[in-house]
Amino acid sequence: MRGRLHHIVLDCADADELAGFYSALLGQPITYRSADWVVVAENDHTSGLAFQPVAHYIPPMWPEGVPGQQLHLDVMVNDVDAADEWVIALGARRLPSDDAASHVYADPAGHPFCLIPKPDWAPDLEG
């Protein structure tokens, strides 16, 4: 079993505004938009940057700042339920979530990531 990086997700106060910035900066279109999610990518079949609004967003401070999630990884897999045992065996731990069906984990260093079902447009993942 293996996964494929789907999106790098940045928390922010205004997803539309930040996606517009990165769209212009990278010369890539906004390929998906919903009330709580905006994606900038080469096209709607490739991975890219995603932006997620957070109600009480606190921007990071350079070089040190308040700890907390500033981004997380979305990893696509063929079967999220089957991948649960696999990522736990690799050293991940399940994180609490408001959605009982979600697959949110912390890597061994504590960084959050989500397992997501492979979209129909993506090729099957081998291994």
Side-chain angles (χ1 to χ4, degrees), residues 57 93 104 116:
Y57 176 71
R93 64 183 167 81
V104 182
I116 63 163

Side-chain angles (χ1 to χ4, degrees), residues 5-9 71-75 107 111-115:
L5 184 63
H6 186 47
H7 294 306
I8 296 174
V9 183
L71 63 96
H72 71 269
L73 302 176
D74 276 355
V75 178
D107 69 18
H111 303 109
F113 69 95
C114 298
L115 294 179

Side-chain angles (χ1 to χ4, degrees), residues 33-108:
R33 178 179 276 122
S34 71
D36 60 354
W37 197 258
V38 183
V39 175
V40 171
E42 185 176 336
N43 58 56
D44 64 354
H45 287 78
T46 59
S47 300
L49 292 176
F51 305 91
Q52 174 176 272
V54 175
H56 302 288
Y57 176 71
I58 299 171
M61 297 175 64
W62 180 263
E64 297 177 12
V66 177
Q69 176 182 296
Q70 295 294 323
L71 63 96
H72 71 269
L73 302 176
D74 276 355
V75 178
M76 65 173 79
V77 293
N78 289 330
D79 181 334
V80 292
D81 291 324
D84 180 80
E85 290 182 27
W86 173 61
V87 298
I88 297 296
L90 288 175
R93 64 183 167 81
R94 189 176 263 281
L95 293 176
S97 174
D98 293 339
D99 180 359
S102 72
H103 291 272
V104 182
Y105 304 85
D107 69 18

